[in-house]
């Protein structure tokens, strides 16, 4: 036998592609710029577009008059190779960021790209490898990156916070921040505040103890950790059993990006469900700080105030979704939150005081909340083995996907899901890394619908709704062009008139939407970008479309150049 | 590096699942041997993987590493057909093209604990049997663990 042929050394896959390997240097994004993000509407430099989470673009080239001519400018395909964690549950859930014409976006499977915002050319890519067997409650997803300090930050499926060089995509640092043996994972888009990068944990369905963390943006050193379930003796611990172990597995994870008020120096973080999700008998009490908005001092990580939307949750009603900051005409600093439990809350964000609460969905059977905030549970899984049906289902009247505020109308545009579910309590013992639900759950396969609701947060009035055959499972975007953009589960991307809800334009993207669109401009041309790709926790929010086509394409639209 | 035998091997053989074109068309994934990487004084964990003739399998098909970190695989194609390997790696997957009777290396960085799969991404080599596992043991650093007492595991 002859000597072996020299096969050489394995090379990075991307070297066998057209990827350039570097992006043009962009101006440095720092705290001052993010505080004033709305003053540079050609960019979208932080997850929600601005710290207040309004998801509003001040660009108006695409408007009620011109939107009918909106057309694809380019499409980017994420693609997939080999076996990866969550091989069948991938979904393109991110919101792109754009700085000076360079788009930074994460996808499923630990991927991050820099893309030319004008042409769609792939400038660089990075793929973080996550184990095939990592625990993922809700799919192979990532909601976005943070850009700043010359770096791009991503929280990975296996709970590593990584920092990449913004020009090359090369790894700068990698910090392990979660315990994958305990069932922790990462999916949140990081937030840069001051010299910090803020990330929260995922894994509430596995009985972990939720936390929000701040890291030094330059070095990756952790500056503080705020647990969202108190230990015995800490404030809030009286809401857990005295002698039990429940607090150790209490949940309250922070898997959606907080909003932030620079004047108050407070992060407004939504927290997840308690664990086990549906079996309250092992965790008597209100179970703070689950299903809450907690206001956290960004400098110290201390909780300043909290408001709990669903005390002693028995329906999987996470409150992780965004807290939109806006000011009343009298200057009062407010916060709006549309909860999974079907109620819309307006709080005073200086102290957490309830200003207003009202339902924003049609069907609520789990219980009710009075105008003064008193919560009365009515229907819940209580007896072992007895099925209980309730609305909204565990994905909520609104899931994590975000609503948007328009300063032009003063309205908040909410993507609404009308889906019920049946839960049957099945008590189980806790074992680390094993799902810890305490029930069998089947979400309704039919009798569902959705709509975009235009809600006045100052009165609770629904001004209009745009109804859809299927629930709304994607974020809304408002623009100064008087438009509300919304993707549907069946692939249509639509533009609505912000005043009337009339559909002015639509485009079929070929796969359902479960992401957050945004807008930017390059050389005076406005673009609307939306990742598409039906996936993630479909069995939770719309199992009636579990068989719909998957996808992982980023569509970018613009008006014709001529 | 060592391989282990077990009753399971006999059962797979009796069922015709441990070879090509027996009961099924290809070889059932994960039915090859188990090997263990050796950690060098430089901290790099090393192991050798072969593609035996006409078996369409990476052997051992399960490689166990004590913890995550830097690894170096020697890959040998003893088959009389051409294959490749696309391997997971932090930063980007790595690919090596392996013509008949060739030998090469792959240097990878992977976090642990957890399991990763790699395969020969040509034709349907992956489905015929050329999909194998890299398994990392260990725990995450103490700084990444939750502040709570030790919990029961399955």
């Amino acid at each position: 036998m002859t000597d072996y042929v020299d096969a050489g050394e394995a090379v990075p896959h991307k070297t066998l592609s057209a990827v350039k390997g570097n992006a043009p240097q962009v101006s440095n994004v720092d705290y001052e710029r993010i505080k004033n993000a709305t003053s540079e509407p050609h960019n979208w430099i932080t997850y929600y577009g601005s710290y207040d989470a309004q998801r509003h673009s001040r660009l108006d080239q695409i408007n009620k008059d011109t939107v009918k001519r909106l057309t694809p400018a380019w499409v980017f395909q994420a693609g997939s190779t080999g076996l990866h964690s969550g091989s069948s549950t991938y979904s393109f859930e991110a919101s792109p960021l754009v700085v000076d014409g360079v788009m930074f976006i994460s996808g499923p499977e630990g991927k991050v790209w820099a893309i030319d915002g004008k042409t769609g050319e792939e400038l660089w890519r990075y793929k973080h490898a996550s184990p095939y067997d990592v625990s993922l409650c809700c799919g192979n997803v990532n909601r976005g990156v943070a850009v700043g300090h010359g770096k791009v930050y991503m929280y990975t499926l296996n709970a590593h916070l990584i920092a990449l060089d913004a020009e090359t995509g090369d790894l700068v640092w990698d910090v392990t921040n979660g315990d994958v043996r305990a069932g922790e994972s990462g999916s949140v888009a990081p937030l840069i505040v001051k010299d910090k990068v803020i990330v929260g944990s995922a894994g509430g369905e596995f009985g972990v103890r939720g936390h929000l963390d701040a890291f030094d943006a330059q070095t990756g050193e952790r500056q503080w950790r705020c647990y969202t379930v108190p230990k015995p003796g800490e404030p809030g611990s009286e809401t857990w059993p005295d002698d039990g172990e429940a607090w150790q597995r209490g949940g309250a994870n922070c898997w959606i990006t907080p909003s932030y008020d620079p004047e108050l120096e407070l992060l407004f973080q939504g927290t997840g469900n308690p664990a086990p999700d549906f079996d309250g008998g092992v965790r008597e009490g209100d179970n703070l700080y689950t299903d809450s908005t907690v206001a956290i001092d960004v400098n110290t990580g201390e909780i300043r105030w909290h408001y709990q939307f669903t005390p002693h949750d028995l329906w999987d009603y996470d409150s992780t979704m965004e807290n939109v900051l806006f000011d009343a005409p009298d200057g009062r600093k407010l916060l709006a939150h549309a909860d999974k439990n079907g109620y819309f809350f307006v709080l005073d964000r200086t102290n957490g005081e309830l200003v207003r609460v009202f339902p924003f969905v049609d069907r609520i059977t789990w219980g009710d909340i009075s105008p003064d905030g008193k919560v009365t549970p009515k229907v819940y899984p209580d007896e072992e083995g007895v099925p209980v049906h309730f609305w909204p289902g565990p994905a909520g009247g609104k899931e994590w996907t975000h609503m948007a505020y328009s300063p032009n109308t003063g309205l908040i545009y909410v993507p609404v899901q009308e889906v019920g579910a049946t839960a049957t309590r099945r008590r189980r013992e806790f074992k680390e890394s094993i799902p810890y639900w305490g029930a069998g759950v089947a979400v309704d396969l039919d009798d569902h619908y959705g709509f975009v609701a235009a809600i006045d947060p100052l009165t609770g009035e629904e001004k209009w709704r745009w109804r859809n055959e299927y629930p709304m499972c994607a974020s809304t975007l408002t623009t100064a062009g008087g438009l509300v953009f919304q993707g549907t589960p069946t692939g249509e991307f639509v533009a609505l008139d912000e005043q009337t809800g009339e559909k002015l334009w639509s485009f079929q993207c070929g796969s359902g939407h479960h992401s957050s669109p945004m807008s930017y401009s390059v050389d005076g041309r406005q673009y609307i970008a939306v990742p598409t790709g039906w996936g993630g926790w479909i069995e939770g929010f719309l199992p009636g479309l579990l068989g719909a086509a998957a996808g992982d394409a980023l569509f970018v639209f613009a008006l014709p150049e001529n | 590096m060592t391989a282990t035998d077990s009753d399971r091997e006999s059962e797979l053989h009796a069922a015709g699942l441990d070879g090509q074109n027996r009961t099924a068309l290809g070889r059932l994934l994960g039915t090859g041997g188990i090997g263990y990487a050796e950690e060098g004084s430089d901290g790099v964990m090393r192991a050798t993987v072969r593609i035996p003739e006409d078996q369409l399998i990476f052997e051992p098909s399960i490689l166990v590493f004590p913890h995550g970190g830097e690894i170096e695989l020697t890959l040998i194609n003893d088959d009389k057909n051409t294959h490749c390997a696309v391997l997971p790696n932090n930063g980007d997957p790595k690919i090596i093209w392996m013509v008949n009777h060739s030998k090469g290396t792959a240097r990878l960085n992977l976090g642990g604990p957890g399991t990763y799969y790699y395969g020969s991404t040509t034709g349907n080599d992956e489905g015929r049997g050329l999909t194998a596992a890299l398994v990392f043991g260990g725990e995450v650093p103490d700084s990444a663990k939750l502040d709570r007492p030790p919990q029961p595991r399955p």
Side-chain angles (χ1 to χ4, degrees):
Chain A
M1 180 65 78
T2 58
D3 289 342
Y4 285 111
V5 172
D6 182 6
E9 183 175 343
V11 299
H13 214 200
K14 62 189 175 188
T15 60
L16 306 179
S17 76
V19 64
K20 282 182 66 175
N22 56 60
Q25 185 175 20
V26 297
S27 54
N28 187 47
V29 176
D30 58 17
Y31 180 52
E32 291 303 314
R33 275 186 73 182
I34 302 175
K35 277 200 297 186
N36 299 298
T38 56
S39 68
E40 44 181 301
H42 59 292
N43 290 327
W44 189 279
I45 59 176
T46 189
Y47 179 64
Y48 295 113
S50 50
Y51 277 141
D52 55 22
Q54 293 187 357
R55 291 188 43 73
H56 176 76
S57 169
R58 294 191 182 185
L59 297 174
D60 62 0
Q61 186 179 79
I62 300 165
N63 55 46
K64 294 180 191 179
D65 295 326
T66 62
V67 69
K68 58 181 175 294
R69 295 190 290 121
L70 198 60
T71 189
W74 51 266
V75 178
F76 180 82
Q77 303 276 1
S80 181
T81 301
L83 295 174
H84 195 281
S85 42
S87 293
S88 301
T89 59
Y90 64 91
S91 176
F92 210 160
E93 289 192 352
S95 179
L97 303 189
V98 169
V99 184
D100 301 341
V102 178
M103 176 181 289
F104 300 94
I105 184 170
S106 61
E109 303 182 3
K111 292 176 183 171
V112 187
W113 300 273
I115 301 170
D116 186 315
K118 196 171 177 179
T119 66
E121 182 184 18
E122 185 178 0
L123 302 175
W124 59 249
R125 86 171 68 142
Y126 184 94
K127 180 177 178 183
H128 180 86
S130 288
Y132 191 74
D133 48 357
V134 70
S135 298
L136 302 173
C137 81
C138 306
N140 167 10
V141 301
N142 187 274
R143 300 195 183 85
V145 298
V147 175
H149 307 296
K151 301 179 186 63
V152 178
Y153 303 90
M154 180 175 73
Y155 202 37
T156 71
L157 290 172
N158 62 338
H160 288 225
L161 178 62
I162 61 172
L164 309 176
D165 183 293
E167 281 187 55
T168 64
D170 292 338
L171 183 70
V172 179
W173 49 257
D174 175 342
V175 175
T176 308
N177 189 46
D179 187 353
V180 288
R181 286 207 184 276
E184 287 198 289
S185 59
S187 56
V188 71
L191 184 72
I192 293 173
V193 179
K194 299 187 176 182
D195 61 343
K196 301 170 175 49
V197 182
I198 311 292
V199 292
S201 64
E205 269 58 50
F206 298 89
V208 300
R209 187 177 174 219
H211 51 90
L212 187 73
D213 303 296
F215 292 84
D216 184 300
Q218 296 295 351
T219 66
E221 182 182 356
R222 192 192 293 152
Q223 295 184 336
W224 51 254
R225 167 168 286 191
C226 172
Y227 279 104
T228 44
V229 175
K231 293 172 78 168
E234 294 178 348
S237 60
E238 69 282 1
T239 66
W240 293 87
D242 288 336
D243 54 354
E245 299 170 322
W247 67 272
Q248 301 167 15
R249 306 145 186 180
N253 290 85
C254 306
W255 45 271
I256 290 296
T257 307
S259 48
Y260 175 68
D261 186 324
E263 290 182 17
L264 300 174
E265 297 190 302
L266 291 177
L267 296 161
F268 302 99
Q269 178 66 58
T271 64
N273 57 274
D277 304 47
F278 303 94
D279 184 358
V282 300
R283 49 172 175 78
E284 294 297 338
D286 282 354
N287 307 140
L288 288 175
Y289 297 95
T290 66
D291 293 356
S292 301
T293 288
V294 289
I296 296 174
D297 185 322
V298 74
N299 299 307
T300 64
E302 294 170 353
I303 296 175
R304 296 296 184 208
W305 60 255
H306 72 275
Y307 188 94
Q308 190 175 39
F309 304 105
T310 313
H312 193 65
D313 175 14
L314 300 167
W315 308 268
D316 192 15
Y317 288 156
D318 303 72
S319 299
T320 45
M321 57 289 296
E322 73 288 345
N323 296 287
V324 176
L325 313 186
F326 68 106
D327 294 342
D330 64 2
R332 193 173 185 187
K333 293 164 83 71
L334 301 176
L335 172 158
H337 173 92
D339 199 81
K340 268 189 175 184
N341 67 19
Y343 285 86
F344 193 107
F345 295 80
V346 178
L347 308 179
D348 183 321
R349 69 177 184 268
T350 66
N351 54 21
E353 180 184 323
L354 179 67
V355 175
R356 187 172 298 104
V357 57
F358 54 89
F360 68 97
V361 301
D362 294 336
R363 299 177 292 190
I364 298 176
T365 61
W366 67 270
D368 64 37
I369 301 178
S370 65
D372 62 355
K374 184 175 182 228
V375 178
T376 305
K378 290 181 175 173
V379 177
Y380 47 88
D382 189 24
E383 294 182 53
E384 188 76 0
V386 177
V388 174
H389 184 272
F390 55 90
W391 273 296
K398 174 180 160 298
E399 212 209 351
W400 68 264
T401 51
H402 310 306
M403 54 192 187
Y405 175 85
S406 170
N408 306 324
T409 62
L411 302 178
I412 293 180
Y413 302 88
V414 186
V416 176
Q417 306 178 134
E418 288 279 355
V419 191
T422 298
T424 307
R425 208 193 78 179
R426 301 286 184 188
R427 181 159 294 173
R428 60 151 302 135
E429 60 183 310
F430 174 81
K431 294 176 184 173
E432 202 168 39
S433 84
I434 302 295
Y436 190 45
W437 290 18
V441 182
V443 178
D444 296 352
L445 293 171
D446 49 23
D447 193 14
H448 49 58
Y449 60 93
F451 52 93
V452 176
I455 291 174
D456 185 341
L458 299 177
T459 65
E461 182 184 1
E462 181 184 294
K463 296 287 189 182
W464 56 256
R465 70 168 58 177
W466 182 75
R467 187 180 160 107
N468 191 52
E469 179 182 359
Y470 293 101
M472 289 302 177
C473 310
S475 303
T476 55
L477 167 74
T478 61
T479 73
L483 300 170
V484 179
F485 286 91
Q486 168 77 68
T488 74
T490 46
E492 294 88 1
F493 188 49
V494 304
L496 308 175
D497 184 320
E498 68 174 3
Q499 297 281 359
T500 66
E502 179 188 359
K503 185 169 82 171
L504 301 176
W505 171 87
S506 72
F507 183 88
Q508 173 54 256
C509 296
S511 182
H513 293 245
H514 196 224
S515 71
S516 300
M518 49 76 76
S519 188
Y520 64 98
S521 70
V522 184
D523 296 337
R525 190 183 190 201
Q526 183 184 357
Y527 298 86
I528 306 284
V530 61
T532 64
W534 190 238
W537 189 46
I538 304 172
E539 64 272 29
F541 53 80
L542 185 45
L545 289 182
L546 260 171
D552 55 5
L554 167 69
F555 282 77
V556 177
F557 300 90
L559 298 175
E561 291 188 272
N562 299 318
Chain B
M1 191 164 62
T2 59
T4 59
D5 293 325
S6 69
D7 292 341
R8 180 72 169 163
E9 274 186 35
S10 302
E11 291 177 23
L12 289 166
H13 184 71
L17 301 175
D18 62 347
Q20 294 294 322
N21 220 357
R22 298 188 62 209
T23 301
L25 299 178
R27 177 162 176 161
L28 199 66
L29 302 186
T31 55
I34 301 173
Y36 294 87
E38 294 178 355
E39 186 166 3
S41 57
D42 57 358
V44 178
M45 296 169 283
R46 294 181 173 84
T48 297
V49 177
R50 292 177 179 272
I51 305 174
E53 185 174 341
D54 290 342
Q55 293 190 37
L56 290 172
I57 187 174
F58 292 109
E59 183 58 45
S61 65
I62 302 168
L63 264 178
V64 181
F65 299 80
H67 53 79
E70 304 291 331
I71 72 172
E72 183 180 303
L73 301 180
T74 299
L75 297 151
I76 299 172
N77 182 8
D78 286 325
D79 196 17
K80 290 179 177 167
N81 284 302
T82 297
H83 305 290
C84 70
V86 173
L87 301 126
N89 174 56
N90 282 324
D92 202 44
K94 287 191 173 178
I95 182 169
I96 183 168
W97 194 251
M98 304 191 70
V99 299
N100 318 11
H101 200 65
S102 64
K103 178 179 179 180
T105 59
R107 293 182 175 84
L108 311 172
N109 177 280
L110 291 165
T115 301
Y116 302 84
Y117 289 96
Y118 66 99
S120 172
T121 60
T122 175
N124 188 26
D125 275 6
E126 293 163 297
R128 292 293 298 272
L130 276 164
T131 299
L134 307 171
V135 181
F136 295 84
E139 300 281 342
V140 299
D142 287 346
S143 59
K145 291 182 178 173
L146 295 168
D147 181 10
R148 64 178 181 180
Q151 301 293 303
R153 288 182 177 175

